[in-house]
Amino acid sequence: MNPKKQIETFLGWFNDLGVTSFDIHIRKPDTPGEDYKLGNWRWLTQNEKITADYILKTLLPWIRYENAHGSDIYFRPHKNENYAVVFLDDVSMSNAMKIAKKYTACIVETSQKNTQIWLGINRSCDTFERKMIQISL
């Protein structure tokens, strides 16, 4: 799947669950090619509470440029809004596939061994409630 289609699919999944605004964070190496675990990286958080349309029509070229030059790109629903989605991190692919068979889920492969899962839940929750659900899972 090409990057634009991948982003459209990802944002469409959220839209289907009622999420309409997003935050984008970029983790950028100080030195190109640097391993984020060993080197110095900067966080760029300049796009918060933006729409999917703005991402696709305005930010996509910049996002693709940053990604092609070694930056990590992070999308999430806007942190201060209520929505019916919970984030799970560092889930093995085999467990992610089991979860996706049982629940509404969007899986993002982050490495050969790990995924992130956006899990659709049955009601909108605030930040605290989502955190409690994450802990319970």
Side-chain angles (χ1 to χ4, degrees):
M1 181 180 306
N2 73 51
K4 182 177 182 190
K5 184 65 177 163
Q6 186 177 14
I7 291 171
E8 288 172 344
T9 300
F10 187 62
L11 294 173
W13 183 87
F14 282 112
N15 185 65
D16 290 347
L17 292 173
V19 177
T20 58
S21 63
F22 302 87
D23 299 337
I24 295 180
H25 305 278
I26 307 285
R27 185 170 60 185
K28 184 178 184 113
D30 284 341
T31 305
E34 193 166 37
D35 183 326
Y36 78 92
K37 293 178 183 175
L38 304 175
N40 293 318
W41 286 58
R42 292 176 283 138
W43 283 95
L44 305 177
T45 307
Q46 49 187 292
N47 294 289
E48 292 192 339
K49 200 168 182 178
I50 55 177
T51 65
D53 191 53
Y54 183 76
I55 293 168
L56 294 170
K57 290 183 177 174
T58 305
L59 295 181
L60 189 57
W62 174 69
I63 291 167
R64 292 179 72 180
Y65 172 86
E66 288 295 338
N67 189 246
H69 288 85
S71 297
D72 294 334
I73 313 300
Y74 297 87
F75 283 87
R76 72 170 183 207
H78 180 58
K79 64 185 173 189
N80 295 326
E81 292 187 355
N82 294 354
Y83 47 84
V85 179
V86 172
F87 178 72
L88 304 176
D89 199 10
D90 294 329
V91 179
S92 70
M93 181 58 82
S94 61
N95 284 340
M97 297 309 290
K98 289 175 189 173
I99 290 169
K101 286 181 181 177
K102 288 179 78 172
Y103 305 100
T104 301
C106 180
I107 300 170
V108 179
E109 186 175 11
T110 54
S111 69
Q112 289 183 353
K113 295 183 180 181
N114 280 317
T115 66
Q116 296 173 338
I117 301 174
W118 291 98
L119 186 63
I121 57 177
N122 62 359
R123 66 180 178 84
S124 289
C125 297
D126 63 22
T127 303
F128 178 77
E129 291 174 301
R130 289 191 305 270
K131 184 67 173 175
M132 292 299 100
I133 293 169
Q134 286 172 318
I135 291 169
S136 72
L137 297 173

